[in-house]
Protein backbone atom coordinates (compact mmCIF):
# COMPACT_ATOMS: atom_id res chain seq x y z
CA UNK A 1 0.00 0.00 0.00
CA UNK A 2 1.49 3.30 -1.00
CA UNK A 3 2.32 5.77 1.73
CA UNK A 4 2.16 9.06 -0.09
CA UNK A 5 0.38 12.09 1.27
CA UNK A 6 -1.23 15.32 0.23
CA UNK A 7 -1.17 17.85 3.05
CA UNK A 8 -3.53 20.67 2.13
CA UNK A 9 -4.31 23.90 3.97
CA UNK A 10 -7.67 25.56 3.48
CA UNK A 11 -7.30 29.16 4.57
CA UNK A 12 -10.99 29.95 4.07
CA UNK A 13 -11.61 33.72 4.36
CA UNK A 14 -8.32 34.45 6.14
CA UNK A 15 -5.11 36.30 5.25
CA UNK A 16 -4.50 39.43 3.22
CA UNK A 17 -2.22 39.35 0.18
CA UNK A 18 0.74 40.53 2.27
CA UNK A 19 0.09 37.94 4.98
CA UNK A 20 -0.20 35.21 2.35
CA UNK A 21 3.12 36.15 0.75
CA UNK A 22 4.91 36.24 4.11
CA UNK A 23 3.43 32.89 5.09
CA UNK A 24 4.42 31.08 1.90
CA UNK A 25 7.97 32.46 2.01
CA UNK A 26 8.38 31.44 5.64
CA UNK A 27 6.87 28.01 5.10
CA UNK A 28 9.08 27.44 2.08
CA UNK A 29 12.13 28.20 4.22
CA UNK A 30 10.99 25.98 7.03
CA UNK A 31 9.84 22.76 5.38
CA UNK A 32 11.72 19.97 3.72
CA UNK A 33 9.51 17.75 1.61
CA UNK A 34 10.22 14.46 -0.11
CA UNK A 35 8.62 13.34 -3.34
CA UNK A 36 6.02 11.34 -1.40
CA UNK A 37 4.45 14.41 0.19
CA UNK A 38 2.66 17.13 -1.71
CA UNK A 39 1.91 20.40 0.08
CA UNK A 40 -1.03 22.40 -1.10
CA UNK A 41 -2.60 25.70 0.00
CA UNK A 42 -6.05 27.02 -0.83
CA UNK A 43 -5.72 30.77 -0.18
CA UNK A 44 -8.37 33.43 -0.79
CA UNK A 45 -8.72 34.33 -4.51
CA UNK A 46 -7.05 37.68 -3.93
CA UNK A 47 -3.76 36.02 -2.90
CA UNK A 48 -3.49 33.40 -5.62
CA UNK A 49 -1.69 35.54 -8.20
CA UNK A 50 0.93 36.84 -5.80
CA UNK A 51 1.88 33.53 -4.21
CA UNK A 52 1.54 31.10 -7.09
CA UNK A 53 5.22 31.04 -8.01
CA UNK A 54 6.84 31.70 -4.66
CA UNK A 55 7.73 28.13 -3.79
CA UNK A 56 8.51 24.93 -5.67
CA UNK A 57 7.46 22.97 -2.59
CA UNK A 58 3.97 24.45 -2.25
CA UNK A 59 1.20 24.06 -4.82
CA UNK A 60 -1.72 26.48 -4.91
CA UNK A 61 -5.41 25.77 -5.33
CA UNK A 62 -8.68 27.66 -5.50
CA UNK A 63 -11.35 27.35 -2.79
CA UNK A 64 -14.12 27.29 -5.37
CA UNK A 65 -14.90 27.36 -9.09
CA UNK A 66 -18.13 28.16 -10.89
CA UNK A 67 -19.45 26.02 -13.72
CA UNK A 68 -19.95 28.85 -16.22
CA UNK A 69 -17.10 30.63 -18.00
CA UNK A 70 -18.45 34.16 -17.73
CA UNK A 71 -21.58 36.25 -17.32
CA UNK A 72 -23.90 37.63 -14.71
CA UNK A 73 -22.74 35.59 -11.71
CA UNK A 74 -21.74 38.18 -9.15
CA UNK A 75 -19.14 36.96 -6.72
CA UNK A 76 -18.33 33.73 -8.54
CA UNK A 77 -14.99 32.63 -10.00
CA UNK A 78 -14.62 31.30 -13.52
CA UNK A 79 -12.44 28.42 -14.71
CA UNK A 80 -10.99 30.78 -17.34
CA UNK A 81 -9.86 33.16 -14.59
CA UNK A 82 -8.14 30.37 -12.69
CA UNK A 83 -6.51 28.72 -15.68
CA UNK A 84 -2.70 28.90 -15.47
CA UNK A 85 -2.91 30.18 -11.89
CA UNK A 86 -3.83 27.04 -9.97
CA UNK A 87 -3.68 23.28 -10.48
CA UNK A 88 -6.21 22.28 -7.82
CA UNK A 89 -9.75 23.34 -6.96
CA UNK A 90 -11.68 22.63 -3.79
CA UNK A 91 -15.25 21.64 -4.54
CA UNK A 92 -18.19 21.07 -2.22
CA UNK A 93 -16.61 22.17 1.06
CA UNK A 94 -19.18 21.84 3.84
CA UNK A 95 -19.21 25.64 4.27
CA UNK A 96 -20.15 26.01 0.59
CA UNK A 97 -22.82 23.35 1.02
CA UNK A 98 -24.12 24.67 4.34
CA UNK A 99 -23.80 28.47 4.23
CA UNK A 100 -24.07 28.97 0.47
CA UNK A 101 -26.59 26.19 -0.11
CA UNK A 102 -24.68 24.33 -2.79
CA UNK A 103 -26.43 21.14 -3.83
CA UNK A 104 -24.92 17.87 -4.97
CA UNK A 105 -26.18 18.74 -8.47
CA UNK A 106 -24.19 22.03 -8.39
CA UNK A 107 -21.15 20.17 -7.12
CA UNK A 108 -21.44 17.62 -9.91
CA UNK A 109 -21.46 20.46 -12.48
CA UNK A 110 -18.44 22.06 -10.82
CA UNK A 111 -16.52 18.78 -10.84
CA UNK A 112 -17.26 18.34 -14.54
CA UNK A 113 -16.15 21.90 -15.23
CA UNK A 114 -12.95 21.43 -13.23
CA UNK A 115 -12.12 18.30 -15.21
CA UNK A 116 -12.92 19.98 -18.51
CA UNK A 117 -10.39 22.71 -17.70
CA UNK A 118 -7.81 20.18 -16.44
CA UNK A 119 -7.81 21.16 -12.80
CA UNK A 120 -7.42 18.50 -10.11
CA UNK A 121 -10.66 18.62 -8.12
CA UNK A 122 -10.58 18.03 -4.37
CA UNK A 123 -14.13 16.92 -3.57
CA UNK A 124 -15.26 17.38 0.04
CA UNK A 125 -17.89 15.09 1.50
CA UNK A 126 -19.04 14.38 5.03
CA UNK A 127 -21.95 13.89 7.38
CA UNK A 128 -23.48 16.17 10.01
CA UNK A 129 -23.52 15.32 13.71
CA UNK A 130 -27.23 14.59 13.48
CA UNK A 131 -26.72 12.17 10.60
CA UNK A 132 -23.93 10.41 12.51
CA UNK A 133 -26.11 10.10 15.60
CA UNK A 134 -28.97 8.71 13.52
CA UNK A 135 -26.64 6.09 12.03
CA UNK A 136 -26.91 7.67 8.58
CA UNK A 137 -23.22 8.32 7.95
CA UNK A 138 -22.67 5.66 5.30
CA UNK A 139 -25.93 6.45 3.53
CA UNK A 140 -24.99 10.13 3.40
CA UNK A 141 -21.49 9.43 2.11
CA UNK A 142 -22.81 7.08 -0.57
CA UNK A 143 -25.36 9.66 -1.72
CA UNK A 144 -22.69 12.34 -2.03
CA UNK A 145 -20.27 10.07 -3.89
CA UNK A 146 -22.98 8.87 -6.28
CA UNK A 147 -24.45 12.30 -6.99
CA UNK A 148 -21.24 14.32 -7.04
CA UNK A 149 -19.48 11.87 -9.38
CA UNK A 150 -22.54 11.15 -11.55
CA UNK A 151 -21.81 10.76 -15.25
CA UNK A 152 -18.03 10.75 -14.88
CA UNK A 153 -15.83 8.31 -16.74
CA UNK A 154 -13.55 5.94 -14.83
CA UNK A 155 -10.41 7.87 -15.77
CA UNK A 156 -12.03 11.11 -14.58
CA UNK A 157 -12.99 9.61 -11.23
CA UNK A 158 -9.42 8.42 -10.82
CA UNK A 159 -8.10 11.95 -11.14
CA UNK A 160 -10.27 13.25 -8.29
CA UNK A 161 -8.99 13.69 -4.75
CA UNK A 162 -11.64 13.06 -2.10
CA UNK A 163 -11.62 14.79 1.27
CA UNK A 164 -13.71 13.14 3.95
CA UNK A 165 -14.65 15.85 6.41
CA UNK A 166 -17.19 15.00 9.09
CA UNK A 167 -18.98 18.32 9.50
CA UNK A 168 -19.12 17.92 13.28
CA UNK A 169 -15.31 17.88 13.35
CA UNK A 170 -14.69 21.01 11.25
CA UNK A 171 -13.46 23.97 13.24
CA UNK A 172 -14.88 22.47 16.43
CA UNK A 173 -11.69 21.04 17.94
CA UNK A 174 -13.46 17.70 17.89
CA UNK A 175 -11.69 15.15 15.70
CA UNK A 176 -12.93 11.83 14.45
CA UNK A 177 -10.88 9.13 16.14
CA UNK A 178 -8.41 7.44 13.80
CA UNK A 179 -10.66 4.36 13.87
CA UNK A 180 -13.80 6.39 13.03
CA UNK A 181 -11.98 8.12 10.17
CA UNK A 182 -10.50 4.86 8.84
CA UNK A 183 -13.93 3.23 8.91
CA UNK A 184 -15.41 5.88 6.61
CA UNK A 185 -12.29 6.08 4.41
CA UNK A 186 -12.45 2.30 3.97
CA UNK A 187 -16.11 2.63 3.03
CA UNK A 188 -15.34 5.36 0.48
CA UNK A 189 -12.64 3.14 -1.01
CA UNK A 190 -15.20 0.33 -1.34
CA UNK A 191 -17.63 2.67 -3.09
CA UNK A 192 -14.88 3.76 -5.47
CA UNK A 193 -14.06 0.10 -6.09
CA UNK A 194 -17.49 -0.22 -7.72
CA UNK A 195 -16.63 2.62 -10.09
CA UNK A 196 -12.94 2.20 -10.94
CA UNK A 197 -10.19 -0.36 -11.10
CA UNK A 198 -7.40 0.11 -8.55
CA UNK A 199 -9.29 2.47 -6.19
CA UNK A 200 -6.22 2.34 -3.91
CA UNK A 201 -4.61 4.87 -6.27
CA UNK A 202 -7.17 7.53 -5.33
CA UNK A 203 -6.15 9.96 -2.60
CA UNK A 204 -8.66 10.20 0.22
CA UNK A 205 -7.79 13.00 2.65
CA UNK A 206 -9.18 13.41 6.15
CA UNK A 207 -10.30 16.82 7.37
CA UNK A 208 -11.70 17.98 10.70
CA UNK A 209 -9.60 19.59 13.43
CA UNK A 210 -6.35 17.99 12.25
CA UNK A 211 -3.45 19.28 14.33
CA UNK A 212 0.12 18.17 15.07
CA UNK A 213 -1.05 16.18 18.11
CA UNK A 214 -3.45 13.93 16.21
CA UNK A 215 -1.90 13.84 12.74
CA UNK A 216 0.46 10.88 13.29
CA UNK A 217 -2.35 8.56 14.34
CA UNK A 218 -4.70 9.74 11.62
CA UNK A 219 -2.12 9.56 8.82
CA UNK A 220 -1.03 6.11 9.96
CA UNK A 221 -4.44 4.68 9.00
CA UNK A 222 -4.19 2.66 5.83
CA UNK A 223 -6.89 4.44 3.83
CA UNK A 224 -5.95 7.98 4.89
CA UNK A 225 -3.78 9.53 2.20
CA UNK A 226 -3.40 13.00 3.61
CA UNK A 227 -5.17 15.82 5.38
CA UNK A 228 -7.24 18.88 4.56
CA UNK A 229 -6.53 21.34 7.33
CA UNK A 230 -8.32 24.55 8.24
CA UNK A 231 -7.34 26.22 11.52
CA UNK A 232 -3.94 24.56 11.91
CA UNK A 233 -2.91 25.57 8.37
CA UNK A 234 -3.04 29.25 9.32
CA UNK A 235 0.00 29.04 11.57
CA UNK A 236 3.47 28.17 10.34
CA UNK A 237 4.34 26.09 13.39
CA UNK A 238 1.33 23.81 13.32
CA UNK A 239 1.16 23.44 9.52
CA UNK A 240 4.87 22.72 9.19
CA UNK A 241 4.72 20.23 12.08
CA UNK A 242 1.98 18.25 10.31
CA UNK A 243 4.01 18.31 7.08
CA UNK A 244 7.05 17.04 8.97
CA UNK A 245 5.05 14.19 10.53
CA UNK A 246 3.66 13.18 7.14
CA UNK A 247 7.18 13.11 5.66
CA UNK A 248 8.28 10.75 8.42
CA UNK A 249 5.43 8.32 7.76
CA UNK A 250 5.83 8.59 3.99
CA UNK A 251 9.45 7.47 4.04
C1 LIG B 1 -11.62 22.60 6.77
O1 LIG B 1 -11.85 23.77 6.68
O2 LIG B 1 -11.69 21.90 5.75
C2 LIG B 1 -11.26 22.05 8.08
C3 LIG B 1 -11.11 20.75 8.17
O3 LIG B 1 -11.11 22.92 9.12
P1 LIG B 1 -10.47 22.61 10.59
O4 LIG B 1 -9.16 21.90 10.33
O5 LIG B 1 -10.28 23.94 11.21
O6 LIG B 1 -11.42 21.74 11.30
Amino acid sequence: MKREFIIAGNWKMNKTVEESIDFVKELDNKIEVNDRVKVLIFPPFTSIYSIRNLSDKIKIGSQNLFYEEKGAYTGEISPLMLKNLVDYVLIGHSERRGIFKELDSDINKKIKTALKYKFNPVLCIGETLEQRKEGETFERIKKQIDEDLKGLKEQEIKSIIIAYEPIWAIGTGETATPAQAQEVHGFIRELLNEKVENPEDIFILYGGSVKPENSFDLLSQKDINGALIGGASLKIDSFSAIIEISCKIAK
Side-chain angles (χ1 to χ4, degrees):
M1 190 69 181
K2 76 176 175 214
R3 287 282 70 195
E4 289 175 30
F5 296 112
I6 294 174
I7 303 297
N10 172 20
W11 285 355
K12 312 190 186 194
M13 201 174 70
N14 292 291
K15 294 196 190 294
T16 62
V17 175
E18 292 74 20
E19 287 166 346
S20 304
I21 294 172
D22 289 348
F23 186 101
V24 171
K25 285 184 179 167
E26 205 181 327
L27 187 67
D28 180 74
N29 269 330
K30 185 149 181 169
I31 55 170
E32 273 178 40
V33 289
N34 59 42
D35 58 8
R36 292 171 158 261
V37 174
K38 199 172 275 165
V39 178
L40 188 55
I41 286 177
F42 294 96
F45 299 136
T46 42
S47 297
I48 289 175
Y49 189 82
S50 310
I51 65 173
R52 74 197 193 287
N53 292 328
L54 287 182
S55 168
D56 290 338
K57 301 174 199 164
I58 303 163
K59 303 260 176 264
I60 304 299
S62 167
Q63 293 178 20
N64 193 11
L65 154 116
F66 195 53
Y67 45 78
E68 297 290 349
E69 285 184 353
K70 58 183 162 182
Y73 304 103
T74 304
E76 285 296 333
I77 186 84
S78 145
L80 295 181
M81 296 164 187
L82 293 169
K83 204 66 213 150
N84 303 322
L85 293 182
V86 300
D87 297 320
Y88 296 82
V89 289
L90 202 58
I91 295 179
H93 190 276
S94 63
E95 286 148 20
R96 299 294 320 170
R97 292 176 189 260
I99 304 169
F100 302 101
K101 309 293 173 221
E102 281 186 16
L103 305 172
D104 286 309
S105 52
D106 300 316
I107 289 158
N108 180 250
K109 284 199 241 174
K110 290 182 172 200
I111 295 265
K112 286 178 174 158
T113 305
L115 291 168
K116 179 176 166 197
Y117 288 90
K118 311 266 180 270
F119 297 111
N120 300 297
V122 180
L123 168 66
C124 302
I125 55 175
E127 80 287 3
T128 63
L129 184 58
E130 211 176 25
Q131 287 161 343
R132 177 158 279 265
K133 281 185 178 158
E134 293 297 319
E136 292 167 3
T137 300
F138 294 131
E139 196 183 309
R140 177 75 193 137
I141 295 295
K142 180 169 171 23
K143 184 174 179 293
Q144 288 177 322
I145 289 277
D146 286 345
E147 292 187 12
D148 299 349
L149 302 182
K150 198 166 166 184
L152 299 189
K153 300 188 189 85
E154 174 168 353
Q155 268 323 102
E156 292 177 324
I157 294 176
K158 288 194 87 161
S159 69
I160 291 172
I161 298 160
I162 310 256
Y164 167 58
E165 300 205 302
I167 296 168
W168 48 272
I170 296 182
T172 57
E174 189 152 343
T175 325
T177 63
Q180 279 174 322
Q182 168 56 36
E183 188 184 27
V184 180
H185 280 238
F187 177 69
I188 295 169
R189 191 90 63 197
E190 273 171 34
L191 293 175
L192 293 171
N193 191 31
E194 290 165 15
K195 300 182 190 294
V196 302
E197 261 181 56
N198 304 326
E200 60 281 1
D201 293 342
I202 297 179
F203 279 79
I204 308 176
L205 317 184
Y206 170 78
S209 298
V210 175
K211 29 186 187 272
E213 301 76 43
N214 58 25
S215 53
F216 182 87
D217 288 343
L218 285 164
L219 293 171
S220 297
Q221 302 300 310
K222 81 174 174 59
D223 286 302
I224 299 188
N225 312 113
L228 180 57
I229 306 157
S233 74
L234 293 171
K235 297 198 192 84
I236 294 281
D237 283 353
S238 44
F239 196 43
S240 63
I242 298 169
I243 294 166
E244 203 177 307
I245 289 164
S246 72
C247 288
K248 282 190 187 139
I249 308 174
K251 265 187 189 163

